[in-house]
Amino acid sequence: MQLYKIIGHTENIYNISLKTSKPPDLLLQSIYSLKKYLGSKERKFISELTFSSLRHKFLNDFLVEEAIKSLLFKESPNLSNNNFILDDKKFKNIASLFSTIASEIFFLDNSNFKNALSDAIQLNEKQKNKDIDEYIISALGELLGKKNSFAKDFWNELIICLNKLDFESKRVLENSLPDFQSFKILESRYSMPAWILIKWAVNEYYPLSLKECCMLAESYLHPAPITLRVNTEVASREEILAYLKSEGIEAEAGKLTPSSIIIKKRIPLSGMNMYRNGLVEIQDEGSQLVSYSLAPAAGSSVLDACAGAGGKTMHIASIMKDSGSILACDTEFEKIKEIKYRAARQNYHSIKSVHIRKAIPEELVKGFDYVLIDAPCSGMGTVRRIPNPKWRLTKDALEKYSFKQLELLKLYSQFVNPGGILVYSTCSSMFEENDEVIENFLNDNNDFVPDSIPEALKSFNITISQREKEDYKLHLFTHIYGCDTFFICRMRKIV
């Protein structure tokens, strides 16, 4: 399929992605089921371009606007007799996709993206290095209904504006006290709202310089790797690594947990025996560290209060060697069904799931040795995978998340047995959802005290290099640890 047709399909998907709350991967699956004529290579590039464009939204909006202004200022003759309107939504969407291509190829130098592009338009090795610009400019011209002269001008202007923006952002970072307009430059360059960058930079809980805030934002511009968690009760990490190597799949041991494996290229995991037989699960290293920080003892009782689809529930069962009892709760019935399916697939007998409605189930009243509250949050720690929260989150919404999280802590903490452990976690980088929630909770609940996370991790031979002010907290920022951003807090109930 010609490149302009592939990008035309992507524009439709990108436009829908900006409007819907549906995760991009689920949206793509539903669209591919309707467009069966799209081949695997075309789908791969469409997926890469869609996700990347969503991650780069603020950057793309800025570059497209600046490129248009620059061409108007230069009075480019190729702007005359347009077959399109410069502020038309479809034009801006198409221009944004090409802005993404420019960023990925010439700025981030993303080899996976470049290979996906080359494969989609079936370039040979010689053409990959020589003619890629010509293909891109021709596709842009076709989509805009213009001659290649305009497409070439616009493409070149995107690259010029990109380099200029990078230069300006570096200049801003040299200034220790940037003004708000300077933050707007950083917002565009790192594709992160200025108000979020400011909140990160002025927090009182964790040492983050402005440069590091930008490093964190830039880490969210890159796709997340596939991370597997090995069910170490039935297979060793070395065995799974050997199996992957025999299948020609490049993989390496994770750096943070003893059960993790990192795969940098997408694989058809759901069709592989190791997955169907419950030997591995897809689970980010940061998510794995939540269960390791809980560190439940074999034979104990555990409440997974906001279990979702049960990823951490399964890990807890693995840590406990399927002993004791685990009660997994959630307010969404479909997720409870998924927990039951996953527990059966991995042959776990210690897990019981309960659908939380309005009333508190009787099963909770008995109390638990360990309680995990992986609270619903903004998702600002997983924007590599679902970028939408970056432009959808508001200050009001952040306040509502924080209020709800504190309410969940108050509710489920009452079911911790004396001497028991309470772990609170989110997949958010926002301190309002993390440290502030914990601070408010501890101020009002004197029967809970901090409990060391490094000590809990020692039992698994896990050592995390930390910059924490208090050892009962763990901020797993993506630019430092390479995993999704997670916050973990461990507390003990006084006997």
Side-chain angles (χ1 to χ4, degrees):
M1 184 180 289
Q2 291 174 291
L3 181 59
Y4 82 90
K5 291 183 179 178
I6 299 174
I7 296 178
H9 282 297
T10 311
E11 190 277 326
N12 290 328
I13 297 169
Y14 179 66
N15 188 44
I16 296 171
S17 299
L18 294 175
K19 300 174 183 177
T20 182
S21 59
K22 193 172 187 178
D25 55 340
L26 297 181
L27 175 63
L28 285 164
Q29 286 176 22
S30 62
I31 290 174
Y32 291 154
S33 67
L34 298 174
K35 299 179 182 290
K36 298 185 184 298
Y37 54 86
L38 291 172
S40 60
K41 292 181 178 179
E42 292 158 339
R43 294 182 182 204
K44 181 180 179 182
F45 178 63
I46 288 172
S47 297
E48 289 276 355
L49 183 54
T50 300
F51 271 93
S52 186
S53 296
L54 292 171
R55 294 188 197 102
H56 288 72
K57 184 180 183 301
F58 290 93
L59 173 60
N60 290 336
D61 290 348
F62 175 84
L63 290 180
V64 171
E65 184 178 342
E66 289 299 302
I68 292 170
K69 285 196 298 187
S70 181
L71 289 174
L72 288 170
F73 178 76
K74 293 176 181 178
E75 298 182 346
S76 170
N78 294 317
L79 278 174
S80 60
N81 301 318
N82 292 321
N83 294 337
F84 55 87
I85 303 171
L86 291 178
D87 62 355
D88 178 74
K89 190 171 186 179
K90 189 175 183 67
F91 164 72
K92 287 192 172 180
N93 284 347
I94 290 170
S96 291
L97 297 179
F98 280 89
S99 170
T100 297
I101 294 172
S103 299
E104 292 286 8
I105 293 177
F106 296 105
F107 192 61
L108 297 178
D109 195 25
N110 186 335
S111 59
N112 286 339
F113 186 93
K114 288 190 284 188
N115 289 336
L117 172 59
S118 298
D119 289 344
I121 53 181
Q122 300 178 347
L123 297 183
N124 60 39
E125 288 300 319
K126 183 179 179 181
Q127 290 172 316
K128 283 183 184 180
N129 298 321
K130 183 179 179 182
D131 298 331
I132 193 69
D133 265 25
E134 295 178 18
Y135 279 90
I136 293 169
I137 291 168
S138 176
L140 180 56
E142 288 282 354
L143 285 166
L144 299 181
K146 292 294 295 178
K147 294 180 180 179
N148 283 5
S149 53
F150 170 78
K152 185 175 182 179
D153 285 352
F154 189 77
W155 174 249
N156 289 337
E157 206 61 51
L158 283 174
I159 297 171
I160 290 170
C161 292
L162 179 60
N163 287 321
K164 182 179 178 182
L165 176 62
D166 185 52
F167 175 81
E168 286 295 312
S169 66
K170 289 175 180 175
R171 181 187 59 79
V172 168
L173 289 176
E174 291 173 358
N175 184 353
S176 59
L177 293 172
D179 55 22
F180 185 75
Q181 188 57 41
S182 297
F183 268 104
K184 296 298 287 184
I185 292 173
L186 298 179
E187 171 183 278
S188 300
R189 164 61 183 83
Y190 297 101
S191 209
M192 183 63 67
W195 71 270
I196 291 179
L197 289 172
I198 292 170
K199 278 187 172 293
W200 288 348
V202 301
N203 91 86
E204 60 184 273
Y205 302 102
Y206 188 93
L208 278 176
S209 65
L210 180 57
K211 184 176 181 180
E212 273 203 290
C213 293
C214 292
M215 290 170 65
L216 174 58
E218 182 159 16
S219 72
Y220 293 151
L221 295 179
H222 300 273
I226 296 174
T227 306
L228 304 181
R229 177 181 60 78
V230 179
N231 184 352
T232 52
E233 296 309 300
V234 293
S236 69
R237 180 162 65 175
E238 290 69 29
E239 288 173 330
I240 299 299
L241 283 169
Y243 170 76
L244 291 170
K245 184 177 180 181
S246 71
E247 294 290 313
I249 298 170
E250 290 186 28
E252 61 184 27
K255 296 179 174 60
L256 301 180
T257 75
S259 54
S260 58
I261 290 176
I262 308 296
I263 300 174
K264 299 201 173 174
K265 292 185 179 179
R266 295 193 175 276
I267 60 172
L269 185 65
S270 60
M272 301 181 74
N273 286 333
M274 66 175 186
Y275 179 79
R276 289 202 302 262
N277 295 334
L279 303 183
V280 297
E281 290 279 345
I282 297 177
Q283 189 176 15
D284 181 78
E285 284 194 285
S287 177
Q288 293 181 39
L289 280 168
V290 173
S291 303
Y292 281 125
S293 297
L294 185 69
S300 58
S301 59
V302 178
L303 170 62
D304 189 353
C306 306
K312 296 177 183 67
T313 311
M314 302 304 130
H315 191 198
I316 291 168
S318 176
I319 290 173
M320 293 170 60
K321 305 184 188 304
D322 199 27
S323 66
S325 62
I326 303 168
L327 185 65
C329 301
D330 203 84
T331 56
E332 295 187 35
F333 183 67
E334 288 302 315
K335 291 183 177 179
I336 292 297
K337 286 170 59 178
E338 179 67 13
I339 291 174
K340 292 179 178 178
Y341 164 75
R342 294 174 79 171
R345 183 169 64 84
Q346 296 194 38
N347 200 31
Y348 285 134
H349 303 286
S350 58
I351 298 172
K352 180 181 178 181
S353 54
V354 174
H355 182 211
I356 299 286
R357 295 180 177 86
K358 290 185 178 180
I360 296 297
E362 292 181 7
E363 292 93 335
L364 272 66
V365 179
K366 63 180 181 181
F368 299 85
D369 302 320
Y370 298 86
V371 172
L372 170 61
I373 304 173
D374 184 40
C377 67
S378 65
M380 276 300 297
T382 57
V383 289
R384 297 185 300 177
R385 305 176 192 276
I386 305 177
N388 309 51
K390 284 205 291 186
W391 65 84
R392 290 212 172 121
L393 183 65
T394 64
K395 294 178 183 178
D396 286 344
L398 186 59
E399 186 176 335
K400 289 178 182 177
Y401 277 119
S402 180
F403 175 80
K404 179 63 175 177
Q405 289 151 354
L406 183 57
E407 291 299 301
L408 287 171
L409 257 178
K410 291 177 180 176
L411 171 63
Y412 289 112
S413 62
Q414 64 184 307
F415 304 117
V416 182
N417 290 333
I421 294 297
L422 172 64
V423 166
Y424 171 83
S425 66
T426 73
C427 54
S428 175
S429 56
M430 307 306 296
F431 295 95
E432 289 84 351
E433 299 183 84
N434 300 330
D435 303 77
E436 286 189 16
V437 171
I438 294 301
E439 185 174 68
N440 290 331
F441 174 75
L442 288 177
N443 284 341
D444 294 335
N445 293 270
N446 295 328
D447 52 341
F448 282 90
V449 295
D451 200 74
S452 171
I453 289 178
E455 285 299 315
L457 294 177
K458 275 184 182 179
S459 58
F460 306 103
N461 296 316
I462 297 174
T463 303
I464 302 292
S465 176
Q466 294 176 276
R467 290 164 29 184
E468 305 291 345
K469 293 181 179 179
E470 299 109 340
D471 70 354
Y472 71 104
K473 297 178 185 176
L474 181 56
H475 298 82
L476 294 167
F477 289 113
T478 301
H479 72 290
I480 299 175
Y481 298 102
C483 60
D484 288 342
T485 296
F486 271 85
F487 172 77
I488 309 170
C489 178
R490 179 181 163 104
M491 296 162 282
R492 183 181 296 275
K493 189 171 186 178
I494 299 173
V495 179

